[in-house]
Amino acid sequence: MAGMTSTGRIDGEKSQEQSAMSRIISPEDCMDDRKFQRCSGISGPASSDNQTVVQSSRAMMTNGPNIEWMPSRETYEARVRELGAQGVPRSKDLPAGFPKHIEGARAWTGSEFTKETSFVLQISTEEVHEIEKALKSFKDSRSGKDLAMVMQRTFPLPLFGKKLKEMSKIVHSGRGFAVIRGLDPEKFSRMDNVIIYLGVTSYIAEMRGRQDSTGSMLLHVKDMGDRVQNANMRQSPYANCAQPFHNDIGDVLAMYVLNTAKEGGDSLLASGATVYNEIATTRPDVIKLLAEDSWVFDKHDGSYQTRPLLFPFRTHGPGFCYSRRPITGSPTSPRPASIPPMTESQAEALDMVHFTAAKHQLALRLRKGDIQLINNLAVMHGRNGFSDGPAEHEQRHLLRLWLRNEALAWETPGPMKGEWEMAYGKSQGQGQGREGRWDTEPVCDRERIVSCKEVCA
């Protein structure tokens, strides 16, 4: 398997800025303008501008194989049947460096977790007091206004910190996810909530990554449709649509829940090891395809890159790292016709990963005050669509961090080192935000909210 990323230029204009889908789009829906607009997250009254978006999106979605950003089971199963009927010989051997089976705690299925206590770390009253004492200590220090300086040394948790360090080992080398529960965001100001979040997660991983080209160290995941004018084409972190299974950039994904939605918004997790094991057993030829560096990713800047979706980590075994949107395009980030199309076999493989993940998923109804931790290279994540209410406490609002623990981190895949460097590299202030920005409130900037380039899923 080749290790380096290759790039290519695209002639023509950049794709039109758009937002994200909220449910599966069937081929029939794509032929109905109103259904397509509704399920694509293209909100607002019918207009000539929206109709242009709909027509452009449909055209881009049908370039190459019939595959959607939010996968259609009907389309996937039809493709499996059609390719199988062709009788093309399939390899029964796995590629070099890929085992027949991944063993260990990170190979799980959602049905195994019958009680939340198996993955939730409940904060005791005494531990909350310790956190509050650490908050006061940091605010009283000379560094008290510099969020980049929140770390174990400046946010001392002599008792609870030991539990958090053990949890970090579980996230990195165990099942790959955990939830910290017991904080009450309403007790604290927004700034204090951010300081507590940074302080607690510093015991999981002290290095923090930049999450976009503006240097954002802290990202607000929130539906911004009512805050930004003409933001009917907003991307998925700023919309209420469902998201397919994917990985972010970085080692550990952290999400602090300030508020939950009135309805929906469940967090969906799936073990990458379990997905690998099932496909390796039933379709080793698909594993070989996923590990090839022939997958074309739209960089949304007039260029594209090719790399694998699946990587053979030496210590931990194979793991996935990709998101669908740069591969398939979406109604809000259409795939330019000038980008090389994926093959039918690639479309089958991509959807196979998603639906295998969905088969084994764990759906979590996170609570206000929860901190969710996900090993980005071991666990894939997605979410259900949601509906906010009129009151602030009914409006889903999460704070996202990209974390790295140098001592426990998995080796960075060769083709991904450039993106890791952008997030955590020395030129970015060692990931501590010295050259980054800390937005403690959501940024109501239309360009960011509709930008194709600044989001993952």
Side-chain angles (χ1 to χ4, degrees), residues 48 211 239 455:
S48 59
Q211 300 185 49
V455 296

Side-chain angles (χ1 to χ4, degrees), residues 90-126:
R90 293 170 174 168
S91 173
K92 298 181 180 180
D93 298 321
L94 293 167
F98 288 83
K100 292 182 178 180
H101 198 268
I102 300 173
E103 305 288 347
R106 79 176 184 98
W108 50 262
T109 189
S111 60
E112 296 173 11
F113 299 100
T114 57
K115 295 182 179 180
E116 288 188 335
T117 53
S118 62
F119 57 81
V120 171
L121 175 60
Q122 182 68 47
I123 306 175
S124 69
T125 301
E126 293 76 14

Side-chain angles (χ1 to χ4, degrees), residues 174-302:
R175 64 177 172 266
F177 74 95
V179 175
I180 303 169
R181 178 167 291 164
L183 293 173
D184 181 3
E186 293 188 358
K187 288 180 58 178
F188 308 100
S189 68
R190 180 59 53 80
M191 178 63 76
D192 286 356
N193 268 306
V194 171
I195 293 171
I196 289 171
Y197 181 31
L198 297 177
V200 169
T201 56
S202 72
Y203 288 82
I204 303 297
E206 205 162 28
M207 183 175 286
R208 306 177 189 111
R210 295 159 55 108
Q211 300 185 49
D212 60 29
S213 61
T214 70
S216 297
M217 308 297 293
L218 186 70
L219 198 78
H220 294 258
V221 179
K222 180 178 174 61
D223 183 6
M224 300 292 286
D226 61 345
R227 290 186 173 223
V228 179
Q229 189 175 9
N230 298 323
N232 57 324
M233 298 181 293
R234 58 198 182 276
Q235 297 290 340
S236 53
Y238 310 111
N240 64 349
C241 57
Q243 290 186 0
F245 282 102
H246 66 282
N247 311 90
D248 282 15
I249 298 298
D251 298 274
V252 175
L253 169 66
M255 304 284 266
Y256 181 29
V257 184
L258 297 181
N259 281 307
T260 59
K262 182 178 181 180
E263 182 180 0
D266 287 359
S267 175
L268 308 176
L269 306 180
S271 161
T274 298
V275 173
Y276 173 87
N277 286 343
E278 181 162 320
I279 297 176
T281 299
T282 59
R283 290 291 302 276
D285 60 303
V286 170
I287 295 296
K288 182 178 181 181
L289 182 58
L290 293 167
E292 291 178 354
D293 64 351
S294 58
W295 293 84
V296 177
F297 285 72
D298 181 9
K299 298 178 69 175
H300 305 291
D301 63 358

Side-chain angles (χ1 to χ4, degrees), residues 343-376:
T343 66
E344 290 289 341
S345 294
Q346 285 180 321
E348 177 194 36
L350 190 62
D351 278 357
M352 186 179 296
V353 172
H354 174 87
F355 286 111
T356 305
K359 175 182 176 181
H360 298 285
Q361 73 180 24
L362 173 65
L364 300 181
R365 179 62 56 91
L366 297 174
R367 303 179 188 176
K368 178 183 292 190
D370 283 356
I371 297 177
Q372 183 182 47
L373 302 163
I374 301 171
N375 182 329
N376 187 55

Side-chain angles (χ1 to χ4, degrees), residues 10-25:
I10 301 172
D11 296 325
E13 297 179 353
K14 293 182 180 179
S15 60
Q16 192 171 359
E17 293 176 333
Q18 313 195 27
S19 69
M21 300 167 68
S22 60
R23 69 171 181 82
I24 292 175
I25 298 178

